Amino acid sequence: MAHPRQLPFLLPAITALVSVFMLAPIALSVLAGLVNNYSTGLASGLTLRWISEVLDVYGSTVSASLLLALLSVVGCLLLGVPCAYALARSRSRWARLFEELLTLPVAVPGLATALALILAYGQLRDFRQSFVFILVGHLVFTLPFMVRTVGAAFRRHELLALEEAARSLGANFGQRFMGVLVPAVLPAIVAGSLMVFTLSVGEFNLTWMLHTPLTRTLPVGLADSYASMRIEIGSAYTLVFLLVILPVLWGLQWLGHLIEKRNG
Amino acid sequence: MTSPSRLLGACAAPAVAFFAAFWLLPVVRLFALPADKGWATYFAVLTDSRYLHSLLNTLGLSLVVTLATLLLGGLVGITLARSRFAAKPLLLSLLTLPLSFPGVIIGFFIILLGGRQGLVADLTEWLGLGRTTFAYGLTGLFLGYLYFSLPRAIATYTAAASTMDGQLEEAARSLGASRWRVAKDVWIPELTQTTIACGAIVFATSMGAFGTAFTLASKFEVLPITLYNEFTNYANFALAASLSITLGIITWLSLFLARHAAGPAAAGA
């Protein structure tokens, strides 16, 4: 950047270069999953053969991951939403401390959390060998995202007034919570749920340590296919991952725009 | 205890119980474990040259990746925030898409680019330079780490740069400041908070990145891979615990320091 005059050309050029670096592998991988032979490229013709082979061999990882992600969302809703409310309303030092602790699994590498879980509960064989073990890991990792997203919504001032009004009209806590509070923070709950879902579907660092040969998720299967299969299979499998994750991401983006518009 | 606070306690109780049982307790055990093998195990990462080497590799790589990410992400973010073209929302959403990719996919992307059957190998052969591969070495790891860090930086900088005060820049320009001076005196100060926050997250993620390094089965050893090998190949639990503690403290500390330096902006770890 020694010559300031070059800057206007330099900036778009760098942007284009970075875009190619980011997008070329995605395009390449999608293409490689759809051609008959990767080394001959498009000339070998398009096929869905690799995708169907992936679904034969790894189809169970797709449904397992979807189910795990759904259960993570349910778990985060049950544990996280009431907790977010408590943390938003409480002024005690313990609440602040717990909020701080709760976010630690995000800051600490997944490997460390997984190792700790295995060392503590690895002896319980039925637990260790079931999907619940992975679910617990995913919940520990995703819970802070739900609590933070929903907690921010609970902290809004107009919501305090609304809750106060409902209380003065004689609504008990259950009525207030389900009738006033939850509907008011619903966009945040949906956003948090989509975030938890995406994080759970893509989680590898924890899951690789926690999985057993009988409990494999989509990313675990991906790592397996990359290591042992041909490039077409790996690419087709990556394409399957994209097809699973893209609708959720678009939903997340759409929701973000919606919330932005609503709040001016 | 008054009634409202009991109510709040009941709301938080399930989450507290879950978190205590499945994170706090296991982590406390993880911390206690190396002591069984003697206190020196805690410091093995500093005293054993193999682990120290792996730690320094990881620190160096993460630092370089962070600097490269901030520079490129900052420039791309400013460009995108300033420019208007029809495909911009699409480009921005495509560029941030990899945020949700597991590290293994990014490792595979690097293999597609720089592996034995990779794009670059085809290109260099076509140019008559022989088949060049870089996926499994330091270059591959660097590019992989860069790939998973850039989306976050681009998203953060684009958001930050589009809220920058245009008047300040206009004033500087009308006073005859060169573009470089504008960048130095207006852009950089305005983006400092973003830079600290984003840099800390990128650094912490790079330190703990496992999937990418795992797929690339690298010749360049990084700490997460060392840790994984100690645990699975050598069943050396105390040592694996000690390495996890080191890694966890480094990543947590970098996020913690950034949060205190940059304020609430860095909270989004």
Side-chain angles (χ1 to χ4, degrees), chain A residues 22 100-101 104 107 115 121 202 208, chain B residues 21 102 147 228 244 251-252 259:
Chain A
M22 297 304 295
E100 199 69 33
L101 283 174
L104 274 179
L115 201 63
Y121 294 105
W208 180 261
Chain B
Y147 191 100
Y228 175 75
S244 319
T251 54
W252 172 79
R259 197 151 48 128

Side-chain angles (χ1 to χ4, degrees), chain B residues 172-188:
Chain B
R173 240 174 240 216
S174 69
L175 289 171
S178 69
R179 286 205 177 87
W180 173 234
R181 279 300 296 268
V182 170
K184 191 169 144 265
D185 296 339
V186 181
W187 288 1
I188 292 179

Side-chain angles (χ1 to χ4, degrees), chain A residues 69-85 87-88 99 102-103 106 138-155 182 185-199 252 255, chain B residues 15:
Chain A
L70 275 179
L71 290 175
S72 297
V73 170
V74 172
C76 277
L77 289 175
L78 292 177
L79 297 170
V81 175
C83 174
Y85 174 75
L87 292 180
E99 209 168 3
L102 192 67
T103 52
V106 182
H138 282 205
L139 277 176
V140 166
F141 174 63
T142 53
L143 197 57
F145 291 92
M146 180 67 90
V147 170
R148 204 184 290 157
T149 313
V150 180
F154 273 132
R155 281 192 174 95
V182 166
V185 299
L186 200 61
I189 291 182
V190 178
S193 301
L194 287 170
M195 207 186 292
V196 167
F197 191 91
T198 340
L199 286 169
L252 202 60
L255 199 77

